[in-house]
């Protein structure tokens, strides 16, 4: 029994020995639990006593022969029944445990009564049992795997069938859905087509109505445009006719004014004795000249505009009346002066007759007295009359220069304002030919200045000059030379505004080139003076008076001011521009080229200075221009006129400077202070300093 007990213990240590056995367990062919066929296997064993008896028999037969024991053991083991696995054995059954325990105890008690087998026989039985159990476990595992595979195949077959049914139902539903969608789509398309046809018909009808209405409106508009253009043309024709009529009247008035002013000048010239006329008569005669000049400018402006206004015509009518009144006044004054002269001549003749009747003894005494008498010096009225005569010539010269400049500009318009592309390009090349050397002028060397002068002279002489890798000349157009001369003169003047106003020393090389061109082409010098006078009338010198019904803008423009967007420039900018122009003019006056007589030398500077101090001074402008002129050209005037220039400076300091101070407002004493300092230094040292940057003889010979 001990051997049987040990065999059972060994069986209990195997994997099958760990199972719990239930007598009433059945194999479920359709498991529903999660474990399925993979649950634990329950073996139902019946007839334990028979097993134990068989074991005992085998042990006894073992002693007789191992072969018989092995066969008997296998036959005893085949009597046991093995059931398929059941998942319900996942929970332990206490009854099965107790039954097994009881049966085991009974076997132990039965075997304990037998004799103990030998040790070697027990080991062989144990080995056979272990081998049998292993074979059984393998067979059982294969059976379980086969069963699981069959169940899995069955489940997959069921799933595949269900999937085919689902696919079939889904295909039916999709076909039905597509059929319904197609019917709905066809219905919507039919509805849209029906509505689209109606809308298209409506749109076509509206477009046709719109085109018809547009044609009607276009016809009405064209008719209205034609009527309006006809009215505008008629109005323009009437306006032009009225403007031309007014212009003819203005020209006629201007001719009458000019004839009257010319008559006044002729009468005064033929009379000769202007010192015998009253002062107010001479002033009125000068006023007539100024009025005539103003009307001439108005006529020129009206001619350019193609018509004139009623105000200008009324101004001409008023001016004609004034000039005729002045003419009558001058004629009466001359007649009166002639009558007085006749009476004076008669009185003189009588006095001479009385003198001849004097005694001979008094002749020597009268001769001595006559010898000791000095010739009466010219009184203030004589100086004033002399100034008026000189100034009248200056003003006439100013008017002639302006008229010539206007005529020149008008003649150049076909080239300067041409719309032809070739002429525009040609005019642009001429501008570059003038601007390139002019903008490059500097006091680098005498050769540099001479080179720029020669290039400009070659251009004006009709020779070819190089401009931007090509050559250009003034022979390609009949007005090209005149155009270049006017352009050069205008650019010289602008150099004073743009260059000299900021760099005072640059005035001298520019002036040297200007004088060189002036010597070769006097008409360029006349145009340059005209541009100087137009930009700065104080170089004449001339203070344009304010005319009747003249706007502030026109008046200040005539004085040299610049308006920008209806606003006058600031006083400091105005003075800076005037200073630049005056410094360039003074540099031209004092420049001495040496080769030819100066066309506008120091004598013109002396005339300008003497005329300037005989005019009433203007605030800021007079002091500024006198200071600039004396600082640049004073050295040359001192060298040329010596004591006469000193006397002129004394008159300027003693009389004219006081008048300047009277017209100078508070806070405007800057120009006056500079002029005062210059005059005091000149009178104190009896000399004028050489201006800085002046081109001396050393410069030209270096």
């Amino acid at each position: 029994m001990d051997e049987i007990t040990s065999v059972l213990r060994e069986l209990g240590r195997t994997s099958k020995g760990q199972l719990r056995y239930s007598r009433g367990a059945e194999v479920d062919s359709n498991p529903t639990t999660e474990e399925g066929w993979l649950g634990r296997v329950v073996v139902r064993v019946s007839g334990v006593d028979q097993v134990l008896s068989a074991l005992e028999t085998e042990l006894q037969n073992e002693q007789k022969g191992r072969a018989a024991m092995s066969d008997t053991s296998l036959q005893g083991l085949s009597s046991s029944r093995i059931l398929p696995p059941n998942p319900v054995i996942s929970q332990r059954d206490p009854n099965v445990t107790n039954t097994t325990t009881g049966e085991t105890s009974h076997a132990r008690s039965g075997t304990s009564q037998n004799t103990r087998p030998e040790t070697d026989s027990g080991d062989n039985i144990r080995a056979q049992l272990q081998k049998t159990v292993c074979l059984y476990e393998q067979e059982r595992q294969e059976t379980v795997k086969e069963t699981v595979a069959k169940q899995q195949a069955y489940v997959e077959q069921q799933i595949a069938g269900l999937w085919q049914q689902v696919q079939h139902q889904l295909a039916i539903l999709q076909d039905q859905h597509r059929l319904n969608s197609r019917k709905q789509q066809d219905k919507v398309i039919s509805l849209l087509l029906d509505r689209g046809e109606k809308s298209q018909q409506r749109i076509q009808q509206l477009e046709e109505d719109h085109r018809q209405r547009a044609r009607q409106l276009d016809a009405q508009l064209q008719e209205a445009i034609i009527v309006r253009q006809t009215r505008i043309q008629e109005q323009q024709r009437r306006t032009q006719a009225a403007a031309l009529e007014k212009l003819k009247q203005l020209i006629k008035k201007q001719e009458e004014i000019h004839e009257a002013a010319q008559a006044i000048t002729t009468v005064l010239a033929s009379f000769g004795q202007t010192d015998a006329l009253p002062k107010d008569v001479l002033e009125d005669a000068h006023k007539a000249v100024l009025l005539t000049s103003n009307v001439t400018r108005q006529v020129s402006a009206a001619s350019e505009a193609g018509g004139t206004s009623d105000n200008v015509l009324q101004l001409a009518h008023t001016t004609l009346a004034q000039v005729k009144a002045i003419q009558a006044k001058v004629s009466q004054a001359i007649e009166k002066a002639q009558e007085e002269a006749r009476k004076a001549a008669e009185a003189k003749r009588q006095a001479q007759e009385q003198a001849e009747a004097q005694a001979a003894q008094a002749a020597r005494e009268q001769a001595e007295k006559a010898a000791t008498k000095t010739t009466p010096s010219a009184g203030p009225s004589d100086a004033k009359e002399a100034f008026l005569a000189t100034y009248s010539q200056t003003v006439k010269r100013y008017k002639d220069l302006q008229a010539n400049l206007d005529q020149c500009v008008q003649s150049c318009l076909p080239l300067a304002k041409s719309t032809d592309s070739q002429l525009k390009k040609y005019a642009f090349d001429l501008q570059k030919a003038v601007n390139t050397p002019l903008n490059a002028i500097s006091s680098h060397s005498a050769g540099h200045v001479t080179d720029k002068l020669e290039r400009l002279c070659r251009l004006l002489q009709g020779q070819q000059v190089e401009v931007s890798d090509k050559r250009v000349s003034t022979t390609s157009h009949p007005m090209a030379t005149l155009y270049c001369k006017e352009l050069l003169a205008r650019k010289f003047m602008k150099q004073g505004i743009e260059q000299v106003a900021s760099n005072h020393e640059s005035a001298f090389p520019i002036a040297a080139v200007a004088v060189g061109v002036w010597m070769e082409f006097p008409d360029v010098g006349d145009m340059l003076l005209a541009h100087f006078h137009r930009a700065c009338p104080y170089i004449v010198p001339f203070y344009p008076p304010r005319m009747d019904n003249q706007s502030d803008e026109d008046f200040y423009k005539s004085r040299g001011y610049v308006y920008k967007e209806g606003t006058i420039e600031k006083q400091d900018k105005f003075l800076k521009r005037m200073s630049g122009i005056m410094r360039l003019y003074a540099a031209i006056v004092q420049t001495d080229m040496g080769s030819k007589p100066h066309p506008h030398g120091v004598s013109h500077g002396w005339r300008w200075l003497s005329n300037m101090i005989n005019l009433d001074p203007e605030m800021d402008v007079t002091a500024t221009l006198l200071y600039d002129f004396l600082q640049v050209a004073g050295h040359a005037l001192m060298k040329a006129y010596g004591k006469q220039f000193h006397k002129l400076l004394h008159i300027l300091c003693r009389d004219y400077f006081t008048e300047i101070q009277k017209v100078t407002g508070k806070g405007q004493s800057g120009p006056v202070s500079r002029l005062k300092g210059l005059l005091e230094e000149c009178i104190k040292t009896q000399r004028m300093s050489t201006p800085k940057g002046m081109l001396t003889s050393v410069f030209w010979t270096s």
Side-chain angles (χ1 to χ4, degrees):
M1 291 301 296
D2 294 333
E3 293 179 359
I4 296 172
T5 303
S6 63
V7 171
L8 292 175
R9 288 177 181 175
E10 291 298 328
L11 289 172
R13 293 189 183 98
T14 63
S15 60
K16 294 299 182 179
Q18 300 298 324
L19 299 176
R20 289 171 294 183
Y21 304 94
S22 175
R23 297 178 181 270
E26 297 292 340
V27 179
D28 188 1
S29 61
N30 295 315
T32 58
T33 62
E34 294 180 358
E35 298 178 356
W37 292 104
L38 300 178
R40 295 186 177 182
V41 179
V42 178
V43 181
R44 180 181 178 185
V45 182
S46 62
V48 179
D49 295 335
Q50 291 83 350
V51 175
L52 293 176
S53 298
L55 291 174
E56 290 176 356
T57 304
E58 289 179 4
L59 291 174
Q60 293 173 1
N61 293 332
E62 183 70 25
Q63 297 174 357
K64 298 177 181 180
R66 292 184 178 180
M69 181 195 62
S70 299
D71 297 333
T72 304
S73 176
L74 291 172
Q75 290 174 1
L77 290 173
S78 63
S79 63
S80 62
R81 291 189 302 164
I82 301 175
L83 297 177
N86 192 340
V88 298
I89 63 171
S90 59
Q91 298 180 355
R92 291 183 180 269
D93 189 352
N95 295 326
V96 176
T97 304
N98 294 334
T99 304
T100 306
T101 304
E103 293 175 352
T104 305
S105 299
H106 177 70
R108 287 178 181 177
S109 63
T111 57
S112 62
Q113 297 174 5
N114 298 326
T115 305
R116 180 180 181 87
E118 294 180 1
T119 304
D120 295 335
S121 299
D123 294 336
N124 291 329
I125 293 171
R126 188 182 299 109
Q128 291 294 332
L129 287 173
Q130 289 180 352
K131 182 178 181 181
T132 302
V133 171
C134 290
L135 291 174
Y136 171 75
E137 287 179 353
Q138 292 177 0
E139 292 176 358
R140 192 61 183 165
Q141 288 178 359
E142 292 176 358
T143 303
V144 169
K145 290 180 179 179
E146 183 179 356
T147 305
V148 170
K150 290 180 179 181
Q151 290 294 328
Q152 185 177 359
Y154 174 75
V155 172
E156 290 178 354
Q157 184 179 3
Q158 292 295 324
I159 291 173
L162 292 174
W163 178 252
Q164 290 178 358
Q165 293 178 4
V166 170
Q167 292 292 332
H168 180 67
Q169 293 293 331
L170 180 61
I172 293 173
L173 291 175
Q174 288 179 348
D175 292 340
Q176 185 177 2
H177 177 70
R178 282 195 295 269
L179 182 60
N180 293 335
S181 298
R182 181 65 59 83
K183 291 180 179 180
Q184 186 68 21
Q185 186 178 3
D186 293 341
K187 183 178 180 181
V188 172
I189 291 174
S190 177
L191 181 60
L192 291 176
L193 289 175
D194 184 40
R195 292 183 178 179
E197 291 177 357
K198 293 181 179 179
S199 299
Q200 186 67 23
Q201 293 176 358
R202 178 60 178 168
I203 291 172
Q204 292 176 356
Q205 182 64 32
L206 291 175
E207 289 178 350
E208 182 62 27
D209 294 343
H210 175 72
R211 284 192 292 269
Q212 185 177 1
R213 180 60 178 169
R215 287 193 294 268
Q216 294 177 356
L217 292 176
D218 186 62
Q220 295 177 1
L221 179 61
Q222 293 297 330
E223 183 179 358
I225 290 174
I226 294 173
V227 173
R228 184 173 180 273
Q229 289 178 349
T230 304
R231 292 178 180 176
I232 291 174
Q233 291 175 357
E234 181 66 21
Q235 183 65 28
Q236 289 178 350
R237 188 186 63 78
R238 293 177 181 177
T239 303
Q240 291 176 357
L244 290 176
E245 182 64 26
K246 291 180 180 179
L247 181 59
K248 291 179 181 179
Q249 295 179 8
L250 180 62
I251 294 174
K252 184 178 180 180
K253 296 289 184 184
Q254 187 262 344
E255 292 175 353
E256 294 178 359
I257 293 171
H258 182 73
E259 291 176 357
Q262 188 67 30
I264 293 174
T265 304
T266 303
V267 170
L268 289 175
S270 61
F271 179 62
Q273 300 176 358
T274 55
D275 53 346
L277 297 177
K279 180 180 179 180
D280 59 336
V281 173
L282 296 177
E283 291 178 351
D284 289 342
H286 178 63
K287 182 180 179 181
V289 174
L290 297 179
L291 292 174
T292 303
S293 175
N294 182 52
V295 172
T296 302
R297 286 197 301 271
Q298 296 291 343
V299 171
S300 299
S303 299
E304 293 178 358
T308 186
S309 62
D310 294 335
N311 294 333
V312 176
L313 189 61
Q314 182 63 31
L315 175 63
H317 181 74
T318 304
T319 302
L320 177 61
Q322 292 177 350
V323 172
K324 286 187 174 181
I326 292 173
Q327 181 183 7
K329 183 177 181 180
V330 170
S331 299
Q332 293 177 1
I334 290 175
E335 291 177 357
K336 184 177 179 181
Q338 289 175 347
E339 181 65 22
E340 291 178 354
R342 188 185 62 79
K343 292 180 179 180
E346 182 65 20
K348 184 178 180 180
R349 186 184 61 80
Q350 292 178 0
Q352 288 177 354
E353 291 177 355
Q354 292 178 0
E356 292 175 356
Q358 290 179 353
Q361 62 273 16
R364 185 173 181 178
E365 183 179 354
Q366 292 177 356
E368 292 178 356
K369 290 181 180 181
T372 57
K373 288 182 180 180
T374 59
T375 303
S377 59
S381 60
D382 295 335
K384 191 69 173 179
E385 296 300 335
F387 162 71
L388 288 176
T390 303
Y391 189 67
S392 298
Q393 295 178 359
T394 302
V395 173
K396 184 178 183 300
R397 172 68 172 163
Y398 158 72
K399 295 176 182 178
D400 293 341
L401 289 175
Q402 295 300 314
N404 291 336
L405 179 61
D406 292 337
Q407 183 179 0
C408 174
V409 172
Q410 191 70 25
S411 300
C412 295
L413 286 179
L415 179 59
K417 302 295 183 181
S418 176
T419 57
D420 183 71
S421 59
Q422 294 295 330
L423 284 181
K424 289 175 67 175
K425 185 177 180 181
Y426 177 62
F428 180 73
D429 291 338
L430 293 177
Q431 292 178 12
K432 292 179 67 176
V434 172
N435 293 333
T436 300
L438 188 61
N439 294 333
I441 296 175
S442 67
S443 58
H444 178 69
S445 65
H448 174 80
V449 176
T450 304
D451 175 69
K452 302 303 178 286
L453 173 61
E454 290 176 352
R455 290 183 61 181
L456 292 172
C457 289
R458 286 199 302 270
L459 176 66
L460 298 181
Q461 289 170 356
Q463 300 180 18
Q464 290 187 346
V465 295
E466 187 174 354
V467 178
S468 299
D469 299 332
K470 62 181 179 180
R471 306 188 70 82
V472 64
S473 69
T474 58
T475 58
S476 301
H477 193 276
M479 301 306 299
T481 302
L482 184 61
Y483 173 75
C484 289
K485 288 180 178 180
E486 191 277 331
L487 177 63
L488 179 60
R490 177 157 37 92
K491 291 296 182 180
F492 271 128
M493 183 273 297
K494 286 189 175 181
Q495 288 285 67
I497 297 175
E498 299 171 357
Q499 182 71 16
V500 179
S502 302
N503 182 11
H504 294 169
E505 296 182 16
S506 64
F508 298 99
I510 297 174
V513 176
V515 172
V517 174
W518 200 334
M519 289 179 177
E520 296 294 332
F521 307 96
D523 51 346
V524 176
D526 292 342
M527 294 179 191
L528 177 58
L529 278 179
H531 278 294
F532 275 148
H533 294 166
R534 184 166 294 183
C536 178
Y538 313 100
I539 292 180
V540 176
F542 177 57
Y543 298 145
R546 185 161 193 156
M547 310 305 296
D548 295 339
N549 300 323
Q550 189 178 23
S551 64
D552 291 341
E553 182 174 350
D554 293 338
F555 171 68
Y556 283 109
K557 281 183 177 180
S558 67
R559 290 292 186 100
Y561 285 88
V562 173
Y563 267 76
K564 187 176 182 180
E565 296 180 356
T567 304
I568 191 173
E569 65 178 334
K570 294 183 179 180
Q571 186 70 6
D572 56 343
K573 292 184 178 180
F574 167 72
L575 293 177
K576 184 178 181 180
R577 289 193 305 104
M578 297 299 105
S579 175
I581 297 174
M582 175 54 72
R583 282 182 174 273
L584 180 57
Y585 174 75
I588 291 174
V589 167
Q590 65 87 41
T591 297
D592 184 12
M593 300 297 289
S595 57
K596 293 181 180 180
H598 198 305
H600 199 83
V602 292
S603 61
H604 290 81
W606 174 271
R607 181 182 301 173
W608 178 86
L609 186 59
S610 60
N611 287 337
M612 190 69 174
I613 64 177
N614 277 286
L615 295 176
D616 294 334
E618 294 281 335
M619 183 179 65
D620 289 343
V621 179
T622 302
T624 299
L625 298 184
L626 282 174
Y627 172 79
D628 292 328
F629 180 82
L630 292 175
Q631 192 179 45
V632 177
H635 174 76
L637 290 175
M638 177 74 76
K639 184 178 179 180
Y641 294 99
K643 293 182 180 181
Q644 295 296 327
F645 183 67
H646 278 289
K647 291 181 181 179
L648 188 63
L649 291 180
H650 279 288
I651 295 174
L652 176 60
C653 293
R654 184 183 66 249
D655 301 330
Y656 197 67
F657 188 76
T658 305
E659 299 296 327
I660 293 176
Q661 289 179 324
K662 289 180 181 180
V663 299
T664 302
K666 295 182 179 180
Q668 305 291 333
S669 59
V672 178
S673 299
R674 289 192 291 271
L675 177 61
K676 182 179 180 182
L678 178 65
L679 293 175
E680 289 177 350
E681 180 183 0
C682 179
I683 293 175
K684 181 179 179 180
T685 60
Q686 295 295 309
R687 59 183 296 273
M688 292 291 292
S689 301
T690 302
K692 187 177 180 180
M694 186 180 74
L695 306 182
T696 60
S697 58
V698 177
F699 173 83
W700 294 108
T701 57
S702 60

